[in-house]
Every structure is written in C-alpha cells, then in structure tokens.
Amino acid sequence: MTPTLWLMLPYVAFTSFILGHLWRYRTDQFGWTTRSSQVYESRLLRLGSPLFHFGMLGVIGGHVLGVLIPESWTEAVGISEHLYHVVAVSAGTVAGIAVIAGIAILLYRRCTVTAVRKATTTNDKFMYVLLAGALITGLLNTVGSNLLWGTYNYRETVSPWFRSLFTLHPEPELMVGTPWTFQAHGLIVLTLIGVWPYTRLVHMFSAPIGYLVRPYVVYRSKETNALDKRRYARAWDSPVLPPR
C-alpha cells in the first residue's frame, strides 16, 4: 500500500469523526442513543455486554500504552522492552479474548432472538462487521505477530506513524512495510473512526454525569380503601357489587 493512503485516510477519518459528531449532536440528539434492546432479551445481554465493555477498557488501555507512549518513555522509567513485551502480550491476549467473546455473544443474540434481529438496522450490521474485523485483526497482531510467527516491534513503525499524524509532520512511509495484519487492522480501524458518528457508537460519549447532581426522586404512597383495592383485582374475579 502506498504512503499516500496512510497519509490521506487518517485525516479524512479524523475530520469525519469530529465534524460528524458535531453534526449529529446538533441535528439528531434524540437519536444519540444505543437503542437498547434489553427489553427483548436480557440473559445473553447480561453475559456478553460486560465481557465486551470491560474487555474494551483493557484493549483501549493497551493501545494508549503501546501506540501513544513512545518506547523511550517506558525505558526511561525502567520498563525494559522484554518486560513490556511480556505484559503487552499476556494482558492484550486476555483483553482481546474477553472482548471477542463478548461481541460473539452479542452477535449470536442479534441473529437468534427475533425481536432483537428485527430491531437491527443496516447501519448496525455494517458497524458490527467493522468492529468485529478490528477486534479480530487486533488479536492477530497481539498473538500472531508476537507468538505464532515471530515477533514484530510495532513500536518502531506503527506507533511513530500514528503519533506523527498529530504533530503535522506525518511519516506515512513507516506503514508501507508493516505486516499485513497491522495494515488490515489500521485500515479497518480508520474506517470505523470515520463512520463512528453515524452509528450507535456515539453513546460512548454520553456519560450520565447529571445523575450525580440531580435531586432525589420522591415517591409517595396513596392510601386506598377496600373498594379501590378491589378495583385492581384480577379480571376473572367476580366484581364487588354495591349494596342496594
């Protein structure tokens, strides 16, 4: 793949990400939601959702450490490359397996539960394909390129390339010779970033901070007499007839 691709695609994706969220917030605040389907099915959701979300926290943390923090910084605080490699592979594998297991359960739920399947839009399907592709290629990078077919130090190519995009001195040539799994992962992730604002993933930026400061909701009971209580009895019970 040419350096031009690794130069243009990231900026197109980042521009779409920023402007798309602004546009979505201004024009579609009522659609800024996960469109929860818990009312249709909850058993599989209770299992798959925590696996996916807590696994994603580990995946994001690993990317911050491995991509955004330079190798020289970790070495400066006494973390050797070997120690970093061991921690990254072990923790990354656990987080990757958890998040893939979680999304597999959620996809199974969407395919097998009729009500959930009918509530799934074409937009959702496209988003799930991209998300699953990003997770699978990411796990291939962690396990395959570090354990199965030798080691590859992405902190000397992929990480500097990504950081260079934010310094306005991009180095796209660093991505040209990387293994195909890293290139596939990069392309899928950039595409996912570009379409992010137009999917249900926008809920990631909706933190319920207002719940911390809102006033308490007060519930009051209402006294009812015997006749009022009988009014809400089972429909097949005989009604209480008033005296003549």
Side-chain angles (χ1 to χ4, degrees), residues 102-113:
I103 197 172
I105 294 172
L106 295 177
L107 287 175
Y108 173 80
R109 173 177 175 269
R110 286 204 169 268
C111 293
T112 58
V113 179

Side-chain angles (χ1 to χ4, degrees), residues 58 98 108 111 124 142 153 172 217 235:
Y108 173 80
C111 293
D124 294 333
T142 301
N153 190 3
V217 178

Side-chain angles (χ1 to χ4, degrees), residues 51-123:
L51 278 173
F52 175 77
H53 286 91
F54 284 112
M56 280 301 300
L57 290 177
V59 169
I60 294 172
H63 280 69
V64 170
L65 180 61
V67 177
L68 296 182
I69 298 179
E71 186 177 357
S72 59
W73 290 18
T74 54
E75 291 180 350
V77 297
I79 302 176
S80 65
E81 181 59 27
H82 174 71
L83 177 60
Y84 170 83
H85 178 79
V86 171
V87 173
V89 172
S90 56
T93 301
V94 172
I97 292 175
V99 73
I100 288 179
I103 197 172
I105 294 172
L106 295 177
L107 287 175
Y108 173 80
R109 173 177 175 269
R110 286 204 169 268
C111 293
T112 58
V113 179
T114 303
V116 179
R117 184 173 65 251
K118 290 183 177 180
T120 304
T121 65
T122 302
N123 183 298

Side-chain angles (χ1 to χ4, degrees), residues 155-191:
R155 302 180 82 194
E156 295 179 350
T157 54
V158 179
S159 300
W161 161 76
F162 188 76
R163 292 194 300 269
S164 72
L165 297 173
F166 301 94
T167 63
L168 300 183
H169 293 87
E171 302 178 62
E173 64 278 359
L174 292 175
M175 285 295 295
V176 174
T178 56
W180 72 268
T181 54
F182 285 91
Q183 296 197 24
H185 184 66
L187 291 176
I188 295 173
V189 169
L190 289 174
T191 304

